[in-house]
Structure formats: structure tokens, C-alpha cells
Amino acid sequence: MNASIIKSIGYGALLLSFGACSDYLEKESFNIITPEQVWEDPKLINAVMVNLYDGMVLEEFNYWFKDAWRLQNPSSMSDEAQASFQKTPCWDNGNATYTYEDDLFEQKFSDRYKNIRNCNDFISQLNEATSLSEDEKKLLLAECRFIRAMHYFTLVKRYGGVPIISEPQMYDPNNLETLMVPRNKEVEVYDFIIKECQAAAVDLPETRDNDAKYRANKYVALALCSRAALYGGSIARYGEVQLDGLVGIPSSEADRFFQVSYDASKTIIESNRYALYNNKPDDKAQNFCDMFLKGNGDNGEYIFQKQYNVAGGKGHDWDKRNAPFSYRGGGWGCGIAPTLEMVEAYEYIDGSEGSLVLEDENGQPRRFDDPYELFSGKDPRLYASIYLPGSPCQSTKVEWVRGIIASDNERYQAAAQPDGNNSVVINGVTYNTSGKDGGADAGDASKTGFYQKKFFDETLTDMNMGKSETPWPVFRLGEIYLNLAEAAMELNKSSEALDAVNKIRERAGIVLLSTIDMEKIRHERRVELAFEGHRYWDMKRWRIAHLDVAQGGLNGFRGTALYPWFDIRDNKYIFERGYNSPKQVRIFLEKNYYTKINQDDMNSNPNLVQNPGYTN
């Protein structure tokens, strides 16, 4: 077995809650465990499996591009949000443009294939383990095939076709060419992932005992199959084949992939093993909010989740990095700022389009006692996912105020972040021109007027790094319904697509649709799965990211703000749209649908071909 596995077999034990394994490993010195000892002890074999799980890229709370302080994650790189921090290198000059970086969300081959190699080694040696029964071997083999498929999905959605290596490679200094495997076609990689998931699903159990409940079961493998096949179908239908198929999938393959996704999704749904979370049907907003809170991952909807444990040193930083300004507990916070475009994507509960009405029938600004009133009647998922001006938070309210209006409509705008100097004296009275959670273009606070609420733990008292335990939903049933709807629509099964979308809307508390089309399905996916890491990849697989912002793309996108002003003449709030955010206008090029292969990887394997639009 690969030595790197042996030296770190206990690293991921807390992630997957293997109490029995960790008890055993506490008595061992990892540095003296040999491969022979591992394969003689089922506890150590399972500990290795835990480490294999820990190597997966799940794009969760701690997933950022480059440094975490840059606040570039799939939400801030889509049209869902901006990154608030003013000095983030990609957006620190509102008069400039930001071209999506060649290595955005890169997963170097040299990193990912180490994990694939560990999986291949594990599979190869598993059959020789005399300490395991044949049923135990079959189960571990299925788990490892699922994990390996996840690694390949991580790669293919970034690079297109990559080398498929499913057997251990032997290092021979006299024959290095055997290690230099060329890229497979993109369609071949998606087919490999699907085959691995389908095979794993046959041998994985439908349910897990409590001590292994966070490990893969049959429906976890099928969930990856559902997602990967949907991606493959979209790329075949909307993409372009280049480099003789190393990137892109022939359009003739689209229906085949959509059928696979449809079948996998339907199997999960019809198993009745999972249900859309609906513990508070009379409070739809709180119901949706609760699903994503700490300790609530075992909620019946999550199919596969990543768990965290602060006591074991496996907490995450999401709350610290994303708390609204006044709730951040001494620095950081404010990370992801949802855009007005995202807020207005949420319809009203009667199904009407979600644009906010800022003016009355005479074209005059509407006036509100409380800014929260502006959002009355919106989709309950909005209140559960985004902190709006006036949203309740802990024992107070989120306050984002652009400035104040005095006599003769004279305006005094916030000029500093909330803890700076934002005071003005009018007629001998001192007023604060900022809300406690923002209002200015300067500093760290949100520049849009909004903060992300989904996943934020209002009960957290220790606002230091690594103190959050909210689980991350890798796969949940809500996504599977939307996968089914999209695949069904692509296969001209519109009635099934309508039924699936209406299941989601019914749980959300919004009027059901009477007709369906692809735009409605994509819209539902956008609001249901907001901030869960889907939107950026969806825009890429649908091949809409390179379009102009007016066409739903990212070219020319800056992100619009909502500016509440407080009028001291009648103590009312009015609102304006803020189009001149201090963030750069974005440029997404067609080459950005695929990530540039790292130069070190290219240098180490001369048989690799670089992706289109990039130089070697």
C-alpha cells in the first residue's frame, strides 16, 4: 500500500465519526504501522478508508480559490454574490475589469491523482486481505469506486477529458513513459464516472448503521450518477467538441446522458428513503432555514453530507468569515454579499416576477417604517437564505443604511465602514449616516446591502476561526428533484418535469406552476440551491456564462446593490438601486469553460494536450 496512506490513516477519522477506529488508533504509532499490519486488521483497513473519504474535494465551507481572505468561492464567482472585502485582488478597483482567471478553482493533476492512486492501490490490495470476509471486501470496494468517481468528477468538470487511470502505476526509472498517460476524451470520463457509480450502487447498502451513517450508501452513488450524467448531457447539448473530443461531448450523446440522470434521480426519489424537509409547514421560511443549521444534517433530506467536529479540530470558519458586520465578533466577517439580482430572482408567493417595487404609481419612492417591509410577500426561501435590510438576527436586526436624507432632499452618505466616522450634525442633532452592518463603499462590510443567511448559525457564541459545525450538504433530495426535472424536460417528459418542480415549490410555500419550460426549471434551481455551490458550475455546463449580463451571463456583470436611505423628515425609508458598485466588471471568456492545465503537470507529462485558448 502507498506509504502516504499508511502515515495518515487517522487524519479523517473525526470527519466520518468512526469511534471504533479512532479508539484503536489512539493506541498505535502511525510511523511504525506497516502495510502488512494494515491488511491484517479490519479496523486499520477502515481507518484507511476514512482517509480516502477525507481526500475528496466537496467544495464546501472551507473551499476558496487561492487564499481564503480573497472570498472567491463558487457563489462569489457566479451571479449569486460579490466578495465584500474591499481589497480582494480581483475586485479592488471598480473602474477596472476582472477577467476570470485561467486557473480558477484549479485542481492540479499532481494533487488529484495522488488521491486516485491511493484509491487504485486500495482496490488492488483489497482482494488479498485475509482478515476480511468477501462481503466486507465487496462493500469497501464499492465505497472506494464511489470515492474514485468523485475525484474524476472533480477533474472532468474543470478540465474536460483527463487521463483515466484505474490500475496502480509502478514507478520504473528506466521506463517513465508508462506513467505519462494521455488524456481520455471528455465523454469517456463521464462514462467512466457513471459506470463506477452504477457498479458501486449495486453493492452498497441502502442504509447504514449509526456508526457509519456518514459513509456512502447506494443512493449516494446514484446521486453522483444523477449529477454527473446531467452535466454530461448539458455539455453534449450546449457545448462544442474541440481537440478531437478531449473537451466537449458529441450532441448525439445528450439524450443518453439525460436518460441516465433521469433514471438515477427517479430511483432515489421512488425509494422513499429521503423526504423533502418539512418539519415546520406553517412557517415556510423558518422551515427552509432550519434544514441547513448545525445539528440538523440528519434531517431526512440530506443524502450525503460532510460533518464537522470542533473538539476534534475539524471545525470550519464559515460563520466567522460571513457574519454581518455587527455580529462578527472582532474582525473578519462580511464575506459573501448576495447581489440584488439574486434577491430579485426570488418570486413573490403568488408566482409573480420577483423585481422589487421601489416606486409608487406616481413614480415617487415608496416609503416604509421598516425596510424589511419592502420584501413582504416574497418567496419564503429568500428570508431563509439572505439577510435583508431589517432582517431579524439573534436579538436585533440587520441594519444596512446608505445614508440619511435631510431637508431640501439633501443627502449625507455613509463614507466609512460601520465602526468608522459616519456622523453628521444637522440642526444641532448628531446622526449616524451608516447602519451598524454597513452602508458605505469603503471597508469590509457588504457593498450590496445583503448578507448570506443560509448556513449561518445564530446560536454560535465563539466567533473565532474553526468553531463552526454546520454540516455541508453534498447531495440532498431537493437537488435530485431538480436534476429529474431538468433531465425530464430535456427528454420531452414535460409533465414529469412540472411535477418535480412543483414538489419543490410546494415545500417552499410558493404557488405551483401550471406550465413548465427549461427557463422555469433553471430559475427554480437557482433559488432552491442558492449558495450551495451549484450556480457557477450550472452556468458553465449550460454554456451561458460567456453571454452578456442582459442575456443571463457573466460578461458585464458587476452585481447591483440596494440602497436604503433614512429620511429624518418623516422617519421613513426609501430605496434606490445601486449600479455603481466598487467592484470590477467581469469578463468571462469562452476559454474559461475549461481550466488551464497547470504548467507543472504539462511539464511532467509531455503527452498531455493543453485546453483550448491557453498556451503550453
Side-chain angles (χ1 to χ4, degrees):
M1 175 172 288
N2 188 283
S4 64
I5 307 181
I6 302 303
K7 292 180 180 177
S8 59
I9 55 178
Y11 177 71
L14 284 166
L15 171 69
L16 296 168
S17 304
F18 279 109
C21 290
S22 58
D23 291 344
Y24 181 88
L25 292 172
E26 286 173 0
K27 303 173 185 177
E28 298 290 338
S29 170
F30 298 152
N31 292 327
I32 61 172
I33 296 176
T34 65
E36 292 75 17
Q37 287 176 293
V38 169
W39 291 108
E40 291 172 356
D41 191 326
K43 292 180 180 178
L44 288 178
I45 295 171
N46 274 284
V48 172
M49 176 58 69
V50 173
N51 192 65
L52 295 180
Y53 273 100
D54 200 52
M56 291 189 295
V57 175
L58 301 179
E59 295 172 16
E60 32 69 46
F61 294 110
N62 290 330
Y63 183 74
W64 306 91
F65 174 57
K66 296 187 177 176
D67 304 304
W69 65 269
R70 291 165 61 103
L71 302 174
Q72 288 179 267
N73 71 2
S75 287
S76 65
M77 300 311 294
S78 73
D79 55 3
E80 290 180 331
Q82 299 174 349
S84 290
F85 185 42
Q86 193 56 29
K87 294 182 180 179
T88 299
C90 63
W91 296 317
D92 61 354
N93 182 353
N95 295 318
T97 57
Y98 168 69
T99 302
Y100 279 72
E101 290 158 90
D102 294 348
D103 58 344
L104 190 63
F105 302 126
E106 173 185 71
Q107 280 294 314
K108 294 179 182 178
F109 285 16
S110 55
D111 293 334
R112 199 62 13 229
Y113 277 97
K114 289 176 184 176
N115 290 278
I116 292 172
R117 179 191 66 202
N118 289 343
C119 289
N120 290 339
D121 287 345
F122 186 90
I123 290 170
S124 174
Q125 298 187 55
L126 182 61
N127 286 333
E128 306 301 321
T130 59
S131 61
L132 298 173
S133 69
E134 290 304 311
D135 286 343
E136 289 171 326
K137 291 179 184 179
K138 185 184 293 185
L139 175 57
L140 289 169
L141 173 61
E143 281 186 273
C144 197
R145 292 181 77 172
F146 159 73
I147 293 170
R148 185 171 63 181
M150 281 288 287
H151 289 308
Y152 275 107
F153 182 63
T154 297
L155 288 169
V156 72
K157 70 179 186 177
R158 288 164 168 78
Y159 299 103
V162 296
I164 296 176
I165 302 172
S166 58
E167 300 288 341
Q169 291 181 295
M170 302 303 296
Y171 174 73
D172 181 355
N174 298 315
N175 190 16
L176 295 178
E177 290 76 12
T178 60
L179 302 178
M180 300 174 184
V181 181
R183 297 173 66 178
N184 285 80
K185 294 182 177 181
E186 185 167 4
V187 66
E188 294 172 336
V189 181
Y190 275 105
D191 280 337
F192 178 78
I193 294 167
I194 289 167
K195 180 194 71 173
E196 291 294 282
C197 289
Q198 290 173 334
V202 171
D203 291 330
L204 286 168
E206 293 199 5
T207 59
R208 289 283 201 170
D209 294 335
N210 192 60
D211 62 346
K213 63 183 179 181
Y214 301 126
R215 292 170 69 162
N217 63 27
K218 171 181 180 177
Y219 301 108
V220 173
L222 289 177
L224 175 56
C225 184
S226 166
R227 187 186 293 179
L230 190 67
Y231 276 51
S234 300
I235 292 165
R237 182 136 295 163
Y238 305 109
E240 175 188 359
V241 176
Q242 300 178 75
L243 300 180
D244 195 29
L246 294 184
V247 297
I249 297 175
S251 59
S252 59
E253 300 281 13
D255 282 355
R256 178 172 69 87
F257 280 114
F258 287 131
Q259 188 67 51
V260 170
S261 180
Y262 171 88
D263 291 341
S265 302
K266 198 158 189 176
T267 299
I268 296 169
I269 292 168
E270 292 183 346
S271 73
N272 293 318
R273 294 286 181 182
Y274 305 94
L276 294 175
Y277 183 80
N278 203 25
N279 283 16
K280 294 181 179 177
D282 296 329
D283 188 343
K284 295 296 190 181
Q286 193 61 51
N287 181 74
F288 195 72
C289 181
D290 286 352
M291 175 167 52
F292 304 101
L293 296 183
K294 179 182 70 175
N296 204 23
D298 301 328
N299 54 35
E301 178 161 341
Y302 282 15
I303 299 169
F304 190 53
Q305 59 186 286
K306 183 169 182 177
Q307 286 287 307
Y308 298 86
N309 184 298
V310 170
K314 299 289 287 185
H316 61 80
D317 308 329
W318 181 256
D319 300 88
K320 178 63 175 177
R321 295 186 184 278
N322 290 278
F325 190 90
S326 67
Y327 303 90
R328 61 193 187 142
W332 294 91
C334 307
I336 301 303
T339 60
L340 181 57
E341 287 85 352
M342 187 67 234
V343 170
E344 293 191 315
Y346 292 88
E347 301 166 67
Y348 288 88
I349 57 174
D350 63 4
S352 56
E353 193 266 334
S355 293
L356 297 170
V357 182
L358 306 186
E359 298 177 343
D360 62 22
E361 61 275 9
N362 298 316
Q364 297 301 308
R366 296 175 66 198
R367 311 181 78 80
F368 301 91
D369 292 320
D370 187 326
Y372 202 49
E373 295 171 5
L374 172 65
F375 310 95
S376 178
K378 290 279 275 184
D379 184 335
R381 290 172 294 187
L382 170 63
Y383 311 125
S385 303
I386 296 175
Y387 282 119
L388 311 163
S391 284
C393 182
Q394 295 177 347
S395 61
T396 59
K397 293 182 177 181
V398 174
E399 297 176 0
W400 201 100
V401 180
R402 186 64 168 175
I404 64 171
I405 303 173
S407 60
D408 299 322
N409 205 33
E410 187 173 6
R411 299 189 176 206
Y412 299 87
Q413 181 177 316
Q417 69 180 27
D419 57 358
N421 182 14
N422 286 301
S423 62
V424 61
V425 179
I426 303 173
N427 296 328
V429 180
T430 300
Y431 295 92
N432 188 354
T433 58
S434 171
K436 66 182 178 63
D437 297 299
D441 288 338
D444 295 349
S446 168
K447 311 303 182 297
T448 65
F450 308 107
Y451 288 97
Q452 181 177 329
K453 181 176 182 180
K454 185 182 278 189
F455 301 117
F456 186 69
D457 180 8
E458 293 186 10
T459 70
L460 194 64
T461 56
D462 187 345
M463 293 299 291
N464 287 306
M465 295 294 185
K467 300 300 183 181
S468 300
E469 292 185 330
T470 305
W472 177 256
V474 182
F475 301 113
R476 66 177 177 93
L477 191 63
E479 179 202 347
I480 302 304
Y481 269 109
L482 293 166
N483 291 355
L484 175 67
E486 186 176 338
M489 196 69 196
E490 294 282 10
L491 294 168
N492 298 314
K493 301 175 185 285
S494 59
S495 62
E496 290 190 65
L498 178 61
D499 288 344
V501 168
N502 276 339
K503 286 287 195 306
I504 296 294
R505 292 173 72 88
E506 181 180 28
R507 188 267 297 276
I510 186 168
V511 69
L512 304 187
L513 298 176
S514 57
T515 62
I516 195 72
D517 58 33
M518 190 56 71
E519 281 307 307
K520 291 178 181 178
I521 293 170
R522 291 182 179 184
H523 173 271
E524 201 65 36
R525 187 177 182 92
R526 182 181 184 185
V527 297
E528 172 73 17
L529 302 178
F531 312 115
E532 295 178 46
H534 293 277
R535 178 66 177 171
Y536 172 77
W537 300 106
D538 284 346
M539 296 182 80
K540 291 184 72 171
R541 67 182 174 89
W542 293 329
R543 297 301 193 256
I544 64 172
H546 75 285
L547 299 178
D548 184 79
V549 64
Q551 299 173 291
L554 290 171
N555 266 332
F557 183 80
R558 187 196 299 271
T560 306
L562 182 67
Y563 295 154
W565 289 85
F566 184 64
D567 194 329
I568 63 174
R569 294 172 296 182
D570 60 0
N571 294 329
K572 302 284 188 181
Y573 291 91
I574 68 167
F575 291 87
E576 294 177 347
R577 298 176 189 275
Y579 297 106
N580 296 314
S581 164
K583 301 295 180 182
Q584 297 179 22
V585 172
R586 306 185 197 184
I587 298 176
F588 188 102
L589 303 175
E590 290 195 60
K591 72 174 184 177
N592 297 130
Y593 284 120
Y594 294 98
T595 301
K596 181 180 181 180
I597 300 174
N598 184 273
Q599 194 59 50
D600 289 343
D601 292 326
M602 294 293 295
N603 293 341
S604 66
N605 183 356
N607 289 326
L608 292 179
V609 176
Q610 185 58 269
N611 274 331
Y614 305 108
T615 57
N616 289 345

